[in-house]
Amino acid sequence: MKLKFLINPFETVSEKKLLIYGIAVTLIASYIAFLLNGRFDGAIDLHFTENVSVFQPLIDSLINFASLFIFLFGAGKIINSKTRPVDIATPILVAKTPYYILLAFNINNFMYEASMSLVKSISTENPSAMPDLDMGTLTTVLIFGLISIVFLVWFFALLYYGFKTATNSKTVAHKFYFVGAIILAEILSSVLISNINY
């Protein structure tokens, strides 16, 4: 029951509560991302950098939301003409929760420095030389990568069940609309962020 709630709260929690939660957690997480040097630089992306300005994560989030909303709402209307804007906005906001939890891994720039250390150890003037890898750093990055994959799946599950509930989607074609909308949103958001928020 708890697992079902984690991936599909849309059947048991009121839309109003989820919308309020989504807005609140987005604002709070955007500030935390500033403190922990996190960038949501794409609809399905999270990266850590050396420095982040105070409004960059919030602008990232707004662009990502708008990009996902445009394409998912369009897909929703194709599937079900009665799909309402709030029906799509709510799961987009709620689905980003896993990304916000991942921010905790970069306290004191931990993950950024680990990643940079790994990149430096692999980079060498002699491409044929074996890189001098620190196993602790490598293990840390690999564990974070695996956890990130799990959380990415969680994000997709939340977004999919929210979209499915909002549109009453049932067919395989509807799933293709959903996937296509996310791909287009990722492209649009990445282009917009790289051009206006860097």
Side-chain angles (χ1 to χ4, degrees), residues 18-161:
L18 287 173
L19 182 62
I20 292 172
Y21 163 81
I23 293 171
V25 77
T26 298
L27 294 173
I28 293 168
S30 294
Y31 182 67
I32 293 174
F34 157 66
L35 297 176
L36 299 180
N37 294 323
R39 292 294 308 274
F40 309 111
D41 47 358
I44 58 173
D45 297 328
L46 167 63
H47 294 104
F48 298 117
T49 64
E50 189 172 7
N51 292 295
V52 175
S53 66
V54 65
F55 289 113
Q56 277 181 319
L58 179 58
I59 295 171
D60 289 345
S61 294
L62 292 174
I63 292 173
N64 291 331
F65 171 81
S67 300
L68 284 166
F69 180 81
I70 289 168
F71 293 109
L72 286 174
F73 184 62
K77 278 295 188 181
I78 293 172
I79 295 169
N80 183 350
S81 62
K82 294 182 179 179
T83 301
R84 302 175 302 161
V86 69
D87 296 332
I88 300 299
T90 301
I92 291 172
L93 292 168
V94 172
K96 297 295 278 190
T97 300
Y99 284 86
Y100 303 150
I101 296 172
L102 284 173
L103 289 169
F105 285 86
N106 202 44
I107 292 174
N108 293 324
N109 256 13
F110 178 75
M111 279 312 305
Y112 172 74
E113 291 178 2
S115 299
M116 290 299 99
S117 176
L118 185 62
V119 170
K120 288 178 182 177
S121 67
I122 294 175
S123 300
T124 175
E125 292 181 4
N126 183 2
S128 63
M130 288 294 293
D132 182 21
L133 296 176
D134 176 70
M135 292 310 296
T137 300
L138 179 60
T139 301
T140 298
V141 173
L142 286 176
I143 290 173
F144 178 74
L146 291 173
I147 293 172
S148 297
I149 291 171
V150 173
F151 277 46
L152 180 62
V153 172
W154 183 13
F155 161 78
F156 277 114
L158 282 167
L159 193 57
Y160 172 72
Y161 282 112

